[in-house]
Amino acid sequence: MRRFSLISIVMLIVSIPTFAGGILTNTNQHAAFLRMLSRGATTEIDAALSNPAGLAFLPNDGFHMGLSIQSAFQTRNIDASFFTYNGFDGTKPTVSDQPFNKYYKGKAAAPIIPSLFAAYKKGDWTVSGFFAITAGGGKASFDDGLPMFESLAMAGIFQTALKKEGKIVTPDMYNINSAMDGKQYIYSLQLGLTYKINEWLSAFAGGRMNYFTGGYKGFLRANLKDALGGAQLMDPLELDCDQTGWGLTPVIGVDAKFGKFNIGAKYEFKTNLNIENDTKENTAADGALAAFKHGVNTPNDIPSMLSVAVAYEFIPTLRASVEYHFYDDKNAGMADNKQKFLTKGTNEYLAGIEWDVTKYLTLSCGGQITDYGLSDNFQSDTSFSCDSYTLGFGAKLKLSERAALNVGYMWTNYDDYTKTSKNYNNTGLSGTNVYSRTNKVFGASIDYRF
């Protein structure tokens, strides 16, 4: 059986957010986001993340908190077509007119993602903070492999077969075995202070500590069978590597109230974050996994982010909000300076509406459009993004004067990205990949005022 789930997942997990947001950043941490999406002008407890200056307008002094649990499930799929071995006659230096087609399906799951929000308001001052997994948080696996590695294996078979007259390469003449375990998280703890300047204006200043931890362990072995002389196609690859790193994010914000309008703005500065390898085993030849050598530092910056939102109260029971996000991904360091291949930063456009059906029940829905600055050179089998739109809906149930329950469901619809190359994965062969993704998130949050 051919199986190729392997080392490639190391690279994949590093860049696989399980939430909404930019290429690296997870923006939704509370079920209120799932049910409405546009929360950048809120003055409820989830503002500790989305609009910390707005906490100055919490309705009561005292201690406020929110606990959220979410579950996220994602697929990352590649429909590959490239010319390799089908009908290839080893005596002729050509390939078949029939391409090799294969659909590679990757899965990522994060069944339990907790977030904790807290604020203490006393007069004009509010101290706030939150703890969350702001990037990563899930496992990824490709049970049927990835085209970039299978095509390289086929290219090796191609070259080997040319040296053996009269041989025709077919799928039963090679064997690929692999296994991979990997995980990656960025844990974040933010603390800050909000001051109510006057009856309509407030400001926030704070900082966020981000701790990166990841672990990767796997192997890859590929061989030709006796039909081609039993030759070894690739040196065995073994990898056992842990990675850690940390960085600080300064955060500032303002909030302004004008009648029925509320305007919230927040700016998160770029986080300089390098991850360092603690490698116990790496047997890759020719520097194939040089990025995972012991002691190597790899840039994994969190980009700066600007959020601006406007909320409007049509009537006391009906409210709406629109919002804009900009992630400066192009100026955030990535491995191999990959950010240089982006054509621009990420732009997001959000809108949401909520309606108090009764005193105890609020229904809401919202949408988000995400526009990346993608290019063919930025996209790869192990790390790709797709422009998308997201829809969410849900409800808030008022349990008492002090407690409320939020529930929400959000799903993302991605545009396919097609990448065609005359030198497919450096094999010298032509080929095309169609990248696609799916994402579904469910969450529930309990908010309480002491």
Side-chain angles (χ1 to χ4, degrees), residues 172-200:
D172 62 344
M173 293 181 180
Y174 70 95
N175 180 274
I176 301 173
N177 295 299
S178 64
M180 179 66 205
D181 291 319
K183 58 183 179 180
Q184 180 257 312
Y185 302 88
I186 294 182
Y187 297 100
S188 296
L189 175 65
Q190 178 173 302
L191 295 174
L193 189 63
T194 300
Y195 178 64
K196 188 177 182 181
I197 300 170
N198 54 41
E199 291 304 311
W200 60 272

Side-chain angles (χ1 to χ4, degrees), residues 79 376 379 386 415-420 432-436:
D79 192 353
D376 284 358
Q379 303 282 62
C386 299
D415 296 335
D416 291 350
Y417 187 99
T418 301
K419 178 180 178 179
T420 300
T432 298
N433 281 347
V434 179
Y435 298 113
S436 62

Side-chain angles (χ1 to χ4, degrees), residues 246-266:
W246 66 277
L248 295 175
T249 309
V251 183
I252 57 175
V254 294
D255 188 275
K257 281 185 170 294
F258 301 101
K260 294 184 177 181
F261 286 96
N262 189 60
I263 302 171
K266 177 187 67 168

Side-chain angles (χ1 to χ4, degrees), residues 14-15 17 20-27 49 134-136 184 186 188 190 208 210 212 247-252 266-274 299-307 325-335 339 342 344-348 370-373 378 385:
V14 170
S15 60
I23 290 175
L24 181 65
T25 310
N26 297 339
T27 53
L49 168 65
T134 56
Q184 180 257 312
I186 294 182
S188 296
Q190 178 173 302
R208 184 183 305 163
N210 306 278
F212 177 104
L248 295 175
T249 309
V251 183
I252 57 175
K266 177 187 67 168
Y267 185 76
E268 299 180 0
F269 292 81
K270 183 180 78 170
T271 307
N272 295 314
L273 194 156
N274 286 338
N300 197 54
D301 293 349
I302 302 172
S304 62
M305 181 261 198
L306 172 67
S307 169
H325 295 166
F326 175 73
Y327 300 88
D328 193 12
D329 300 297
K330 192 168 176 60
N331 290 307
M334 302 180 187
Q339 73 279 2
L342 289 167
K344 60 181 180 180
T346 300
N347 294 282
E348 284 186 336
T370 302
D371 177 27
Y372 298 115
F378 181 82
S385 300

Side-chain angles (χ1 to χ4, degrees), residues 371-392:
D371 177 27
Y372 298 115
L374 304 173
S375 70
D376 284 358
N377 287 331
F378 181 82
Q379 303 282 62
S380 70
D381 293 358
T382 55
S383 178
F384 63 86
S385 300
C386 299
D387 293 341
S388 66
Y389 70 90
T390 299
L391 300 174

Side-chain angles (χ1 to χ4, degrees), residues 208-278:
R208 184 183 305 163
M209 198 284 282
N210 306 278
Y211 178 73
F212 177 104
T213 178
Y216 314 103
K217 187 174 182 179
F219 68 88
L220 163 65
R221 302 183 185 97
N223 297 278
L224 294 179
K225 295 185 177 179
D226 290 340
L228 288 173
Q232 180 83 7
L233 174 62
M234 301 174 66
D235 296 328
L237 301 182
E238 303 281 346
L239 180 66
D240 186 353
C241 177
D242 293 324
Q243 296 179 320
T244 57
W246 66 277
L248 295 175
T249 309
V251 183
I252 57 175
V254 294
D255 188 275
K257 281 185 170 294
F258 301 101
K260 294 184 177 181
F261 286 96
N262 189 60
I263 302 171
K266 177 187 67 168
Y267 185 76
E268 299 180 0
F269 292 81
K270 183 180 78 170
T271 307
N272 295 314
L273 194 156
N274 286 338
I275 53 178
E276 182 175 350
N277 296 339
D278 178 11

Side-chain angles (χ1 to χ4, degrees), residues 354-426:
E354 58 180 355
W355 172 40
D356 298 335
V357 181
T358 70
K359 179 181 177 180
Y360 300 101
L361 177 64
T362 299
L363 300 180
S364 60
C365 62
Q368 172 181 296
I369 296 173
T370 302
D371 177 27
Y372 298 115
L374 304 173
S375 70
D376 284 358
N377 287 331
F378 181 82
Q379 303 282 62
S380 70
D381 293 358
T382 55
S383 178
F384 63 86
S385 300
C386 299
D387 293 341
S388 66
Y389 70 90
T390 299
L391 300 174
F393 68 94
K396 180 174 74 170
L397 181 63
K398 187 176 180 180
L399 304 176
S400 71
E401 290 301 317
R402 294 178 178 268
L405 174 68
N406 286 271
V407 292
Y409 178 73
M410 178 189 83
W411 71 98
T412 304
N413 300 277
Y414 294 90
D415 296 335
D416 291 350
Y417 187 99
T418 301
K419 178 180 178 179
T420 300
S421 175
K422 294 183 179 179
N423 183 19
Y424 188 83
N425 290 317
N426 297 314

